[in-house]
mmCIF file with all atom_site columns, all heavy atoms in Angstrom:
data_model
loop_
_atom_site.group_PDB
_atom_site.id
_atom_site.type_symbol
_atom_site.label_atom_id
_atom_site.label_alt_id
_atom_site.label_comp_id
_atom_site.label_asym_id
_atom_site.label_entity_id
_atom_site.label_seq_id
_atom_site.pdbx_PDB_ins_code
_atom_site.Cartn_x
_atom_site.Cartn_y
_atom_site.Cartn_z
_atom_site.occupancy
_atom_site.B_iso_or_equiv
_atom_site.pdbx_formal_charge
_atom_site.auth_seq_id
_atom_site.auth_comp_id
_atom_site.auth_asym_id
_atom_site.auth_atom_id
_atom_site.pdbx_PDB_model_num
ATOM 1   N N   . ILE A 1 66  ? -46.856 -13.996 -134.770 1.00 96.00 ? 66  ILE A N   1
ATOM 2   C CA  . ILE A 1 66  ? -45.406 -13.923 -134.629 1.00 96.00 ? 66  ILE A CA  1
ATOM 3   C C   . ILE A 1 66  ? -44.904 -15.319 -134.276 1.00 96.00 ? 66  ILE A C   1
ATOM 4   O O   . ILE A 1 66  ? -45.411 -15.957 -133.347 1.00 96.00 ? 66  ILE A O   1
ATOM 5   C CB  . ILE A 1 66  ? -44.990 -12.929 -133.529 1.00 96.00 ? 66  ILE A CB  1
ATOM 6   C CG1 . ILE A 1 66  ? -45.530 -11.530 -133.838 1.00 96.00 ? 66  ILE A CG1 1
ATOM 7   C CG2 . ILE A 1 66  ? -43.469 -12.903 -133.380 1.00 96.00 ? 66  ILE A CG2 1
ATOM 8   C CD1 . ILE A 1 66  ? -45.046 -10.938 -135.135 1.00 96.00 ? 66  ILE A CD1 1
ATOM 9   N N   . ALA A 1 67  ? -43.933 -15.813 -135.019 1.00 97.00 ? 67  ALA A N   1
ATOM 10  C CA  . ALA A 1 67  ? -43.326 -17.118 -134.746 1.00 97.00 ? 67  ALA A CA  1
ATOM 11  C C   . ALA A 1 67  ? -42.108 -16.927 -133.846 1.00 97.00 ? 67  ALA A C   1
ATOM 12  O O   . ALA A 1 67  ? -41.301 -16.025 -134.077 1.00 97.00 ? 67  ALA A O   1
ATOM 13  C CB  . ALA A 1 67  ? -42.921 -17.787 -136.053 1.00 97.00 ? 67  ALA A CB  1
ATOM 14  N N   . VAL A 1 68  ? -42.002 -17.760 -132.832 1.00 98.00 ? 68  VAL A N   1
ATOM 15  C CA  . VAL A 1 68  ? -40.863 -17.700 -131.905 1.00 98.00 ? 68  VAL A CA  1
ATOM 16  C C   . VAL A 1 68  ? -40.254 -19.094 -131.788 1.00 98.00 ? 68  VAL A C   1
ATOM 17  O O   . VAL A 1 68  ? -40.963 -20.070 -131.494 1.00 98.00 ? 68  VAL A O   1
ATOM 18  C CB  . VAL A 1 68  ? -41.285 -17.195 -130.511 1.00 98.00 ? 68  VAL A CB  1
ATOM 19  C CG1 . VAL A 1 68  ? -40.092 -17.212 -129.554 1.00 98.00 ? 68  VAL A CG1 1
ATOM 20  C CG2 . VAL A 1 68  ? -41.862 -15.780 -130.604 1.00 98.00 ? 68  VAL A CG2 1
ATOM 21  N N   . LEU A 1 73  ? -37.565 -25.004 -124.030 1.00 93.00 ? 73  LEU A N   1
ATOM 22  C CA  . LEU A 1 73  ? -38.567 -24.318 -123.221 1.00 93.00 ? 73  LEU A CA  1
ATOM 23  C C   . LEU A 1 73  ? -38.476 -24.668 -121.735 1.00 93.00 ? 73  LEU A C   1
ATOM 24  O O   . LEU A 1 73  ? -39.110 -23.997 -120.909 1.00 93.00 ? 73  LEU A O   1
ATOM 25  C CB  . LEU A 1 73  ? -39.975 -24.628 -123.740 1.00 93.00 ? 73  LEU A CB  1
ATOM 26  C CG  . LEU A 1 73  ? -40.392 -23.843 -124.987 1.00 93.00 ? 73  LEU A CG  1
ATOM 27  C CD1 . LEU A 1 73  ? -41.677 -24.421 -125.579 1.00 93.00 ? 73  LEU A CD1 1
ATOM 28  C CD2 . LEU A 1 73  ? -40.565 -22.367 -124.669 1.00 93.00 ? 73  LEU A CD2 1
ATOM 29  N N   . PHE A 1 78  ? -34.857 -19.080 -121.578 1.00 93.00 ? 78  PHE A N   1
ATOM 30  C CA  . PHE A 1 78  ? -35.639 -19.032 -122.813 1.00 93.00 ? 78  PHE A CA  1
ATOM 31  C C   . PHE A 1 78  ? -37.143 -18.920 -122.523 1.00 93.00 ? 78  PHE A C   1
ATOM 32  O O   . PHE A 1 78  ? -37.869 -18.217 -123.230 1.00 93.00 ? 78  PHE A O   1
ATOM 33  C CB  . PHE A 1 78  ? -35.351 -20.266 -123.666 1.00 93.00 ? 78  PHE A CB  1
ATOM 34  C CG  . PHE A 1 78  ? -33.919 -20.370 -124.094 1.00 93.00 ? 78  PHE A CG  1
ATOM 35  C CD1 . PHE A 1 78  ? -33.169 -21.503 -123.806 1.00 93.00 ? 78  PHE A CD1 1
ATOM 36  C CD2 . PHE A 1 78  ? -33.307 -19.333 -124.768 1.00 93.00 ? 78  PHE A CD2 1
ATOM 37  C CE1 . PHE A 1 78  ? -31.842 -21.599 -124.187 1.00 93.00 ? 78  PHE A CE1 1
ATOM 38  C CE2 . PHE A 1 78  ? -31.977 -19.415 -125.153 1.00 93.00 ? 78  PHE A CE2 1
ATOM 39  C CZ  . PHE A 1 78  ? -31.237 -20.553 -124.852 1.00 93.00 ? 78  PHE A CZ  1
ATOM 40  N N   . ALA A 1 79  ? -37.593 -19.603 -121.479 1.00 94.00 ? 79  ALA A N   1
ATOM 41  C CA  . ALA A 1 79  ? -39.007 -19.519 -121.127 1.00 94.00 ? 79  ALA A CA  1
ATOM 42  C C   . ALA A 1 79  ? -39.389 -18.096 -120.732 1.00 94.00 ? 79  ALA A C   1
ATOM 43  O O   . ALA A 1 79  ? -40.490 -17.624 -121.056 1.00 94.00 ? 79  ALA A O   1
ATOM 44  C CB  . ALA A 1 79  ? -39.320 -20.483 -119.975 1.00 94.00 ? 79  ALA A CB  1
ATOM 45  N N   . THR A 1 80  ? -38.493 -17.412 -120.047 1.00 94.00 ? 80  THR A N   1
ATOM 46  C CA  . THR A 1 80  ? -38.758 -16.031 -119.657 1.00 94.00 ? 80  THR A CA  1
ATOM 47  C C   . THR A 1 80  ? -38.835 -15.125 -120.878 1.00 94.00 ? 80  THR A C   1
ATOM 48  O O   . THR A 1 80  ? -39.719 -14.254 -120.975 1.00 94.00 ? 80  THR A O   1
ATOM 49  C CB  . THR A 1 80  ? -37.673 -15.519 -118.694 1.00 94.00 ? 80  THR A CB  1
ATOM 50  O OG1 . THR A 1 80  ? -37.617 -16.368 -117.550 1.00 94.00 ? 80  THR A OG1 1
ATOM 51  C CG2 . THR A 1 80  ? -37.967 -14.096 -118.246 1.00 94.00 ? 80  THR A CG2 1
ATOM 52  N N   . ILE A 1 81  ? -37.926 -15.311 -121.822 1.00 96.00 ? 81  ILE A N   1
ATOM 53  C CA  . ILE A 1 81  ? -37.958 -14.520 -123.055 1.00 96.00 ? 81  ILE A CA  1
ATOM 54  C C   . ILE A 1 81  ? -39.284 -14.733 -123.781 1.00 96.00 ? 81  ILE A C   1
ATOM 55  O O   . ILE A 1 81  ? -39.931 -13.775 -124.238 1.00 96.00 ? 81  ILE A O   1
ATOM 56  C CB  . ILE A 1 81  ? -36.767 -14.871 -123.958 1.00 96.00 ? 81  ILE A CB  1
ATOM 57  C CG1 . ILE A 1 81  ? -35.483 -14.265 -123.383 1.00 96.00 ? 81  ILE A CG1 1
ATOM 58  C CG2 . ILE A 1 81  ? -36.991 -14.371 -125.387 1.00 96.00 ? 81  ILE A CG2 1
ATOM 59  C CD1 . ILE A 1 81  ? -34.243 -14.534 -124.198 1.00 96.00 ? 81  ILE A CD1 1
ATOM 60  N N   . VAL A 1 82  ? -39.714 -15.989 -123.901 1.00 97.00 ? 82  VAL A N   1
ATOM 61  C CA  . VAL A 1 82  ? -40.976 -16.291 -124.580 1.00 97.00 ? 82  VAL A CA  1
ATOM 62  C C   . VAL A 1 82  ? -42.140 -15.611 -123.873 1.00 97.00 ? 82  VAL A C   1
ATOM 63  O O   . VAL A 1 82  ? -43.006 -14.993 -124.512 1.00 97.00 ? 82  VAL A O   1
ATOM 64  C CB  . VAL A 1 82  ? -41.202 -17.816 -124.647 1.00 97.00 ? 82  VAL A CB  1
ATOM 65  C CG1 . VAL A 1 82  ? -42.635 -18.122 -125.084 1.00 97.00 ? 82  VAL A CG1 1
ATOM 66  C CG2 . VAL A 1 82  ? -40.215 -18.452 -125.612 1.00 97.00 ? 82  VAL A CG2 1
ATOM 67  N N   . SER A 1 83  ? -42.175 -15.703 -122.555 1.00 96.00 ? 83  SER A N   1
ATOM 68  C CA  . SER A 1 83  ? -43.270 -15.100 -121.791 1.00 96.00 ? 83  SER A CA  1
ATOM 69  C C   . SER A 1 83  ? -43.339 -13.595 -122.019 1.00 96.00 ? 83  SER A C   1
ATOM 70  O O   . SER A 1 83  ? -44.424 -13.025 -122.225 1.00 96.00 ? 83  SER A O   1
ATOM 71  C CB  . SER A 1 83  ? -43.084 -15.403 -120.301 1.00 96.00 ? 83  SER A CB  1
ATOM 72  O OG  . SER A 1 83  ? -44.081 -14.782 -119.533 1.00 96.00 ? 83  SER A OG  1
ATOM 73  N N   . ARG A 1 84  ? -42.193 -12.945 -121.985 1.00 96.00 ? 84  ARG A N   1
ATOM 74  C CA  . ARG A 1 84  ? -42.171 -11.484 -122.195 1.00 96.00 ? 84  ARG A CA  1
ATOM 75  C C   . ARG A 1 84  ? -42.593 -11.132 -123.624 1.00 96.00 ? 84  ARG A C   1
ATOM 76  O O   . ARG A 1 84  ? -43.317 -10.144 -123.836 1.00 96.00 ? 84  ARG A O   1
ATOM 77  C CB  . ARG A 1 84  ? -40.775 -10.930 -121.920 1.00 96.00 ? 84  ARG A CB  1
ATOM 78  C CG  . ARG A 1 84  ? -40.248 -11.175 -120.520 1.00 96.00 ? 84  ARG A CG  1
ATOM 79  C CD  . ARG A 1 84  ? -41.088 -10.491 -119.448 1.00 96.00 ? 84  ARG A CD  1
ATOM 80  N NE  . ARG A 1 84  ? -40.483 -10.655 -118.137 1.00 96.00 ? 84  ARG A NE  1
ATOM 81  C CZ  . ARG A 1 84  ? -40.739 -11.643 -117.306 1.00 96.00 ? 84  ARG A CZ  1
ATOM 82  N NH1 . ARG A 1 84  ? -41.616 -12.588 -117.650 1.00 96.00 ? 84  ARG A NH1 1
ATOM 83  N NH2 . ARG A 1 84  ? -40.142 -11.716 -116.125 1.00 96.00 ? 84  ARG A NH2 1
ATOM 84  N N   . LEU A 1 85  ? -42.177 -11.908 -124.599 1.00 96.00 ? 85  LEU A N   1
ATOM 85  C CA  . LEU A 1 85  ? -42.558 -11.648 -125.983 1.00 96.00 ? 85  LEU A CA  1
ATOM 86  C C   . LEU A 1 85  ? -44.059 -11.822 -126.184 1.00 96.00 ? 85  LEU A C   1
ATOM 87  O O   . LEU A 1 85  ? -44.704 -11.043 -126.894 1.00 96.00 ? 85  LEU A O   1
ATOM 88  C CB  . LEU A 1 85  ? -41.795 -12.572 -126.930 1.00 96.00 ? 85  LEU A CB  1
ATOM 89  C CG  . LEU A 1 85  ? -40.299 -12.289 -127.104 1.00 96.00 ? 85  LEU A CG  1
ATOM 90  C CD1 . LEU A 1 85  ? -39.645 -13.377 -127.944 1.00 96.00 ? 85  LEU A CD1 1
ATOM 91  C CD2 . LEU A 1 85  ? -40.073 -10.922 -127.753 1.00 96.00 ? 85  LEU A CD2 1
ATOM 92  N N   . GLU A 1 86  ? -44.621 -12.847 -125.562 1.00 96.00 ? 86  GLU A N   1
ATOM 93  C CA  . GLU A 1 86  ? -46.068 -13.076 -125.672 1.00 96.00 ? 86  GLU A CA  1
ATOM 94  C C   . GLU A 1 86  ? -46.846 -11.870 -125.141 1.00 96.00 ? 86  GLU A C   1
ATOM 95  O O   . GLU A 1 86  ? -47.828 -11.429 -125.751 1.00 96.00 ? 86  GLU A O   1
ATOM 96  C CB  . GLU A 1 86  ? -46.461 -14.338 -124.906 1.00 96.00 ? 86  GLU A CB  1
ATOM 97  C CG  . GLU A 1 86  ? -46.044 -15.626 -125.594 1.00 96.00 ? 86  GLU A CG  1
ATOM 98  C CD  . GLU A 1 86  ? -46.422 -16.857 -124.795 1.00 96.00 ? 86  GLU A CD  1
ATOM 99  O OE1 . GLU A 1 86  ? -46.312 -16.805 -123.547 1.00 96.00 ? 86  GLU A OE1 1
ATOM 100 O OE2 . GLU A 1 86  ? -46.821 -17.849 -125.403 1.00 96.00 ? 86  GLU A OE2 1
ATOM 101 N N   . THR A 1 87  ? -46.402 -11.345 -124.005 1.00 95.00 ? 87  THR A N   1
ATOM 102 C CA  . THR A 1 87  ? -47.088 -10.197 -123.400 1.00 95.00 ? 87  THR A CA  1
ATOM 103 C C   . THR A 1 87  ? -47.038 -8.981  -124.321 1.00 95.00 ? 87  THR A C   1
ATOM 104 O O   . THR A 1 87  ? -48.060 -8.304  -124.553 1.00 95.00 ? 87  THR A O   1
ATOM 105 C CB  . THR A 1 87  ? -46.451 -9.852  -122.046 1.00 95.00 ? 87  THR A CB  1
ATOM 106 O OG1 . THR A 1 87  ? -46.577 -10.979 -121.165 1.00 95.00 ? 87  THR A OG1 1
ATOM 107 C CG2 . THR A 1 87  ? -47.126 -8.649  -121.422 1.00 95.00 ? 87  THR A CG2 1
ATOM 108 N N   . GLN A 1 88  ? -45.856 -8.699  -124.856 1.00 93.00 ? 88  GLN A N   1
ATOM 109 C CA  . GLN A 1 88  ? -45.705 -7.515  -125.701 1.00 93.00 ? 88  GLN A CA  1
ATOM 110 C C   . GLN A 1 88  ? -46.437 -7.677  -127.028 1.00 93.00 ? 88  GLN A C   1
ATOM 111 O O   . GLN A 1 88  ? -47.069 -6.730  -127.521 1.00 93.00 ? 88  GLN A O   1
ATOM 112 C CB  . GLN A 1 88  ? -44.215 -7.252  -125.940 1.00 93.00 ? 88  GLN A CB  1
ATOM 113 C CG  . GLN A 1 88  ? -43.504 -6.826  -124.666 1.00 93.00 ? 88  GLN A CG  1
ATOM 114 C CD  . GLN A 1 88  ? -42.008 -6.707  -124.833 1.00 93.00 ? 88  GLN A CD  1
ATOM 115 O OE1 . GLN A 1 88  ? -41.519 -5.709  -125.345 1.00 93.00 ? 88  GLN A OE1 1
ATOM 116 N NE2 . GLN A 1 88  ? -41.267 -7.730  -124.431 1.00 93.00 ? 88  GLN A NE2 1
ATOM 117 N N   . ALA A 1 89  ? -46.379 -8.862  -127.604 1.00 94.00 ? 89  ALA A N   1
ATOM 118 C CA  . ALA A 1 89  ? -47.066 -9.092  -128.878 1.00 94.00 ? 89  ALA A CA  1
ATOM 119 C C   . ALA A 1 89  ? -48.580 -8.982  -128.708 1.00 94.00 ? 89  ALA A C   1
ATOM 120 O O   . ALA A 1 89  ? -49.266 -8.366  -129.538 1.00 94.00 ? 89  ALA A O   1
ATOM 121 C CB  . ALA A 1 89  ? -46.689 -10.467 -129.428 1.00 94.00 ? 89  ALA A CB  1
ATOM 122 N N   . PHE A 1 90  ? -49.114 -9.568  -127.644 1.00 91.00 ? 90  PHE A N   1
ATOM 123 C CA  . PHE A 1 90  ? -50.559 -9.526  -127.405 1.00 91.00 ? 90  PHE A CA  1
ATOM 124 C C   . PHE A 1 90  ? -51.044 -8.087  -127.248 1.00 91.00 ? 90  PHE A C   1
ATOM 125 O O   . PHE A 1 90  ? -52.133 -7.726  -127.727 1.00 91.00 ? 90  PHE A O   1
ATOM 126 C CB  . PHE A 1 90  ? -50.913 -10.337 -126.162 1.00 91.00 ? 90  PHE A CB  1
ATOM 127 C CG  . PHE A 1 90  ? -52.387 -10.415 -125.890 1.00 91.00 ? 90  PHE A CG  1
ATOM 128 C CD1 . PHE A 1 90  ? -53.204 -11.263 -126.631 1.00 91.00 ? 90  PHE A CD1 1
ATOM 129 C CD2 . PHE A 1 90  ? -52.968 -9.629  -124.906 1.00 91.00 ? 90  PHE A CD2 1
ATOM 130 C CE1 . PHE A 1 90  ? -54.564 -11.329 -126.388 1.00 91.00 ? 90  PHE A CE1 1
ATOM 131 C CE2 . PHE A 1 90  ? -54.334 -9.685  -124.655 1.00 91.00 ? 90  PHE A CE2 1
ATOM 132 C CZ  . PHE A 1 90  ? -55.133 -10.542 -125.402 1.00 91.00 ? 90  PHE A CZ  1
ATOM 133 N N   . ALA A 1 91  ? -50.231 -7.258  -126.588 1.00 89.00 ? 91  ALA A N   1
ATOM 134 C CA  . ALA A 1 91  ? -50.604 -5.863  -126.389 1.00 89.00 ? 91  ALA A CA  1
ATOM 135 C C   . ALA A 1 91  ? -50.710 -5.108  -127.705 1.00 89.00 ? 91  ALA A C   1
ATOM 136 O O   . ALA A 1 91  ? -51.396 -4.085  -127.793 1.00 89.00 ? 91  ALA A O   1
ATOM 137 C CB  . ALA A 1 91  ? -49.598 -5.171  -125.472 1.00 89.00 ? 91  ALA A CB  1
ATOM 138 N N   . GLU A 1 92  ? -50.026 -5.617  -128.728 1.00 88.00 ? 92  GLU A N   1
ATOM 139 C CA  . GLU A 1 92  ? -50.048 -4.970  -130.042 1.00 88.00 ? 92  GLU A CA  1
ATOM 140 C C   . GLU A 1 92  ? -50.960 -5.694  -131.030 1.00 88.00 ? 92  GLU A C   1
ATOM 141 O O   . GLU A 1 92  ? -50.911 -5.434  -132.237 1.00 88.00 ? 92  GLU A O   1
ATOM 142 C CB  . GLU A 1 92  ? -48.627 -4.894  -130.603 1.00 88.00 ? 92  GLU A CB  1
ATOM 143 C CG  . GLU A 1 92  ? -47.662 -4.093  -129.757 1.00 88.00 ? 92  GLU A CG  1
ATOM 144 C CD  . GLU A 1 92  ? -48.019 -2.619  -129.696 1.00 88.00 ? 92  GLU A CD  1
ATOM 145 O OE1 . GLU A 1 92  ? -48.704 -2.150  -130.632 1.00 88.00 ? 92  GLU A OE1 1
ATOM 146 O OE2 . GLU A 1 92  ? -47.637 -1.945  -128.733 1.00 88.00 ? 92  GLU A OE2 1
ATOM 147 N N   . GLY A 1 93  ? -51.766 -6.635  -130.534 1.00 87.00 ? 93  GLY A N   1
ATOM 148 C CA  . GLY A 1 93  ? -52.729 -7.302  -131.398 1.00 87.00 ? 93  GLY A CA  1
ATOM 149 C C   . GLY A 1 93  ? -52.197 -8.504  -132.155 1.00 87.00 ? 93  GLY A C   1
ATOM 150 O O   . GLY A 1 93  ? -52.801 -8.936  -133.140 1.00 87.00 ? 93  GLY A O   1
ATOM 151 N N   . TYR A 1 94  ? -51.094 -9.073  -131.698 1.00 92.00 ? 94  TYR A N   1
ATOM 152 C CA  . TYR A 1 94  ? -50.515 -10.247 -132.355 1.00 92.00 ? 94  TYR A CA  1
ATOM 153 C C   . TYR A 1 94  ? -50.672 -11.482 -131.481 1.00 92.00 ? 94  TYR A C   1
ATOM 154 O O   . TYR A 1 94  ? -50.634 -11.395 -130.248 1.00 92.00 ? 94  TYR A O   1
ATOM 155 C CB  . TYR A 1 94  ? -49.016 -10.043 -132.615 1.00 92.00 ? 94  TYR A CB  1
ATOM 156 C CG  . TYR A 1 94  ? -48.688 -9.069  -133.720 1.00 92.00 ? 94  TYR A CG  1
ATOM 157 C CD1 . TYR A 1 94  ? -48.548 -7.706  -133.449 1.00 92.00 ? 94  TYR A CD1 1
ATOM 158 C CD2 . TYR A 1 94  ? -48.511 -9.510  -135.031 1.00 92.00 ? 94  TYR A CD2 1
ATOM 159 C CE1 . TYR A 1 94  ? -48.240 -6.811  -134.454 1.00 92.00 ? 94  TYR A CE1 1
ATOM 160 C CE2 . TYR A 1 94  ? -48.198 -8.618  -136.044 1.00 92.00 ? 94  TYR A CE2 1
ATOM 161 C CZ  . TYR A 1 94  ? -48.076 -7.272  -135.749 1.00 92.00 ? 94  TYR A CZ  1
ATOM 162 O OH  . TYR A 1 94  ? -47.776 -6.391  -136.756 1.00 92.00 ? 94  TYR A OH  1
ATOM 163 N N   . ASP A 1 95  ? -50.846 -12.616 -132.117 1.00 93.00 ? 95  ASP A N   1
ATOM 164 C CA  . ASP A 1 95  ? -50.759 -13.906 -131.444 1.00 93.00 ? 95  ASP A CA  1
ATOM 165 C C   . ASP A 1 95  ? -49.352 -14.472 -131.662 1.00 93.00 ? 95  ASP A C   1
ATOM 166 O O   . ASP A 1 95  ? -48.683 -14.140 -132.638 1.00 93.00 ? 95  ASP A O   1
ATOM 167 C CB  . ASP A 1 95  ? -51.798 -14.881 -131.997 1.00 93.00 ? 95  ASP A CB  1
ATOM 168 C CG  . ASP A 1 95  ? -53.217 -14.460 -131.645 1.00 93.00 ? 95  ASP A CG  1
ATOM 169 O OD1 . ASP A 1 95  ? -53.443 -14.097 -130.481 1.00 93.00 ? 95  ASP A OD1 1
ATOM 170 O OD2 . ASP A 1 95  ? -54.086 -14.488 -132.535 1.00 93.00 ? 95  ASP A OD2 1
ATOM 171 N N   . VAL A 1 96  ? -48.929 -15.320 -130.747 1.00 96.00 ? 96  VAL A N   1
ATOM 172 C CA  . VAL A 1 96  ? -47.581 -15.886 -130.808 1.00 96.00 ? 96  VAL A CA  1
ATOM 173 C C   . VAL A 1 96  ? -47.653 -17.402 -130.887 1.00 96.00 ? 96  VAL A C   1
ATOM 174 O O   . VAL A 1 96  ? -48.394 -18.038 -130.133 1.00 96.00 ? 96  VAL A O   1
ATOM 175 C CB  . VAL A 1 96  ? -46.750 -15.464 -129.572 1.00 96.00 ? 96  VAL A CB  1
ATOM 176 C CG1 . VAL A 1 96  ? -45.398 -16.177 -129.562 1.00 96.00 ? 96  VAL A CG1 1
ATOM 177 C CG2 . VAL A 1 96  ? -46.546 -13.956 -129.559 1.00 96.00 ? 96  VAL A CG2 1
ATOM 178 N N   . ILE A 1 97  ? -46.896 -17.971 -131.806 1.00 96.00 ? 97  ILE A N   1
ATOM 179 C CA  . ILE A 1 97  ? -46.746 -19.420 -131.900 1.00 96.00 ? 97  ILE A CA  1
ATOM 180 C C   . ILE A 1 97  ? -45.301 -19.752 -131.543 1.00 96.00 ? 97  ILE A C   1
ATOM 181 O O   . ILE A 1 97  ? -44.367 -19.183 -132.116 1.00 96.00 ? 97  ILE A O   1
ATOM 182 C CB  . ILE A 1 97  ? -47.066 -19.939 -133.311 1.00 96.00 ? 97  ILE A CB  1
ATOM 183 C CG1 . ILE A 1 97  ? -48.521 -19.641 -133.661 1.00 96.00 ? 97  ILE A CG1 1
ATOM 184 C CG2 . ILE A 1 97  ? -46.807 -21.438 -133.415 1.00 96.00 ? 97  ILE A CG2 1
ATOM 185 C CD1 . ILE A 1 97  ? -48.900 -20.065 -135.055 1.00 96.00 ? 97  ILE A CD1 1
ATOM 186 N N   . VAL A 1 98  ? -45.132 -20.665 -130.595 1.00 97.00 ? 98  VAL A N   1
ATOM 187 C CA  . VAL A 1 98  ? -43.802 -20.975 -130.063 1.00 97.00 ? 98  VAL A CA  1
ATOM 188 C C   . VAL A 1 98  ? -43.433 -22.418 -130.364 1.00 97.00 ? 98  VAL A C   1
ATOM 189 O O   . VAL A 1 98  ? -44.278 -23.319 -130.280 1.00 97.00 ? 98  VAL A O   1
ATOM 190 C CB  . VAL A 1 98  ? -43.762 -20.748 -128.536 1.00 97.00 ? 98  VAL A CB  1
ATOM 191 C CG1 . VAL A 1 98  ? -42.362 -21.025 -127.993 1.00 97.00 ? 98  VAL A CG1 1
ATOM 192 C CG2 . VAL A 1 98  ? -44.191 -19.319 -128.194 1.00 97.00 ? 98  VAL A CG2 1
ATOM 193 N N   . ALA A 1 99  ? -42.173 -22.638 -130.702 1.00 97.00 ? 99  ALA A N   1
ATOM 194 C CA  . ALA A 1 99  ? -41.663 -24.002 -130.907 1.00 97.00 ? 99  ALA A CA  1
ATOM 195 C C   . ALA A 1 99  ? -40.284 -24.113 -130.281 1.00 97.00 ? 99  ALA A C   1
ATOM 196 O O   . ALA A 1 99  ? -39.540 -23.128 -130.194 1.00 97.00 ? 99  ALA A O   1
ATOM 197 C CB  . ALA A 1 99  ? -41.604 -24.341 -132.396 1.00 97.00 ? 99  ALA A CB  1
ATOM 198 N N   . ILE A 1 124 ? -38.955 -14.302 -134.324 1.00 98.00 ? 124 ILE A N   1
ATOM 199 C CA  . ILE A 1 124 ? -37.854 -14.105 -133.381 1.00 98.00 ? 124 ILE A CA  1
ATOM 200 C C   . ILE A 1 124 ? -37.293 -15.485 -133.068 1.00 98.00 ? 124 ILE A C   1
ATOM 201 O O   . ILE A 1 124 ? -38.030 -16.370 -132.647 1.00 98.00 ? 124 ILE A O   1
ATOM 202 C CB  . ILE A 1 124 ? -38.320 -13.394 -132.105 1.00 98.00 ? 124 ILE A CB  1
ATOM 203 C CG1 . ILE A 1 124 ? -38.793 -11.982 -132.448 1.00 98.00 ? 124 ILE A CG1 1
ATOM 204 C CG2 . ILE A 1 124 ? -37.201 -13.358 -131.070 1.00 98.00 ? 124 ILE A CG2 1
ATOM 205 C CD1 . ILE A 1 124 ? -39.392 -11.219 -131.282 1.00 98.00 ? 124 ILE A CD1 1
ATOM 206 N N   . ALA A 1 299 ? -35.864 -9.170  -124.355 1.00 97.00 ? 299 ALA A N   1
ATOM 207 C CA  . ALA A 1 299 ? -37.141 -9.449  -125.016 1.00 97.00 ? 299 ALA A CA  1
ATOM 208 C C   . ALA A 1 299 ? -37.759 -8.170  -125.566 1.00 97.00 ? 299 ALA A C   1
ATOM 209 O O   . ALA A 1 299 ? -38.263 -8.134  -126.696 1.00 97.00 ? 299 ALA A O   1
ATOM 210 C CB  . ALA A 1 299 ? -38.095 -10.127 -124.035 1.00 97.00 ? 299 ALA A CB  1
ATOM 211 N N   . GLU A 1 300 ? -37.717 -7.102  -124.775 1.00 96.00 ? 300 GLU A N   1
ATOM 212 C CA  . GLU A 1 300 ? -38.291 -5.832  -125.210 1.00 96.00 ? 300 GLU A CA  1
ATOM 213 C C   . GLU A 1 300 ? -37.572 -5.295  -126.447 1.00 96.00 ? 300 GLU A C   1
ATOM 214 O O   . GLU A 1 300 ? -38.205 -4.815  -127.396 1.00 96.00 ? 300 GLU A O   1
ATOM 215 C CB  . GLU A 1 300 ? -38.204 -4.806  -124.075 1.00 96.00 ? 300 GLU A CB  1
ATOM 216 C CG  . GLU A 1 300 ? -38.756 -3.440  -124.437 1.00 96.00 ? 300 GLU A CG  1
ATOM 217 C CD  . GLU A 1 300 ? -38.559 -2.422  -123.320 1.00 96.00 ? 300 GLU A CD  1
ATOM 218 O OE1 . GLU A 1 300 ? -37.940 -2.767  -122.290 1.00 96.00 ? 300 GLU A OE1 1
ATOM 219 O OE2 . GLU A 1 300 ? -39.003 -1.275  -123.489 1.00 96.00 ? 300 GLU A OE2 1
ATOM 220 N N   . TRP A 1 303 ? -38.476 -7.359  -129.544 1.00 96.00 ? 303 TRP A N   1
ATOM 221 C CA  . TRP A 1 303 ? -39.815 -7.024  -130.043 1.00 96.00 ? 303 TRP A CA  1
ATOM 222 C C   . TRP A 1 303 ? -39.806 -5.681  -130.784 1.00 96.00 ? 303 TRP A C   1
ATOM 223 O O   . TRP A 1 303 ? -40.396 -5.550  -131.855 1.00 96.00 ? 303 TRP A O   1
ATOM 224 C CB  . TRP A 1 303 ? -40.814 -7.002  -128.902 1.00 96.00 ? 303 TRP A CB  1
ATOM 225 C CG  . TRP A 1 303 ? -42.170 -6.547  -129.342 1.00 96.00 ? 303 TRP A CG  1
ATOM 226 C CD1 . TRP A 1 303 ? -42.821 -5.398  -128.999 1.00 96.00 ? 303 TRP A CD1 1
ATOM 227 C CD2 . TRP A 1 303 ? -43.037 -7.231  -130.259 1.00 96.00 ? 303 TRP A CD2 1
ATOM 228 N NE1 . TRP A 1 303 ? -44.029 -5.316  -129.637 1.00 96.00 ? 303 TRP A NE1 1
ATOM 229 C CE2 . TRP A 1 303 ? -44.186 -6.429  -130.417 1.00 96.00 ? 303 TRP A CE2 1
ATOM 230 C CE3 . TRP A 1 303 ? -42.947 -8.432  -130.950 1.00 96.00 ? 303 TRP A CE3 1
ATOM 231 C CZ2 . TRP A 1 303 ? -45.239 -6.792  -131.244 1.00 96.00 ? 303 TRP A CZ2 1
ATOM 232 C CZ3 . TRP A 1 303 ? -44.008 -8.798  -131.777 1.00 96.00 ? 303 TRP A CZ3 1
ATOM 233 C CH2 . TRP A 1 303 ? -45.132 -7.992  -131.919 1.00 96.00 ? 303 TRP A CH2 1
#
Side-chain angles (χ1 to χ4, degrees):
I66 301 300
V68 177
L73 282 169
F78 298 124
T80 302
I81 286 181
V82 168
S83 177
R84 301 297 185 269
L85 289 174
E86 286 179 322
T87 299
Q88 292 174 80
F90 183 77
E92 299 294 336
Y94 287 89
D95 292 315
V96 174
I97 298 177
V98 182
I124 295 175
E300 179 184 3
W303 175 247

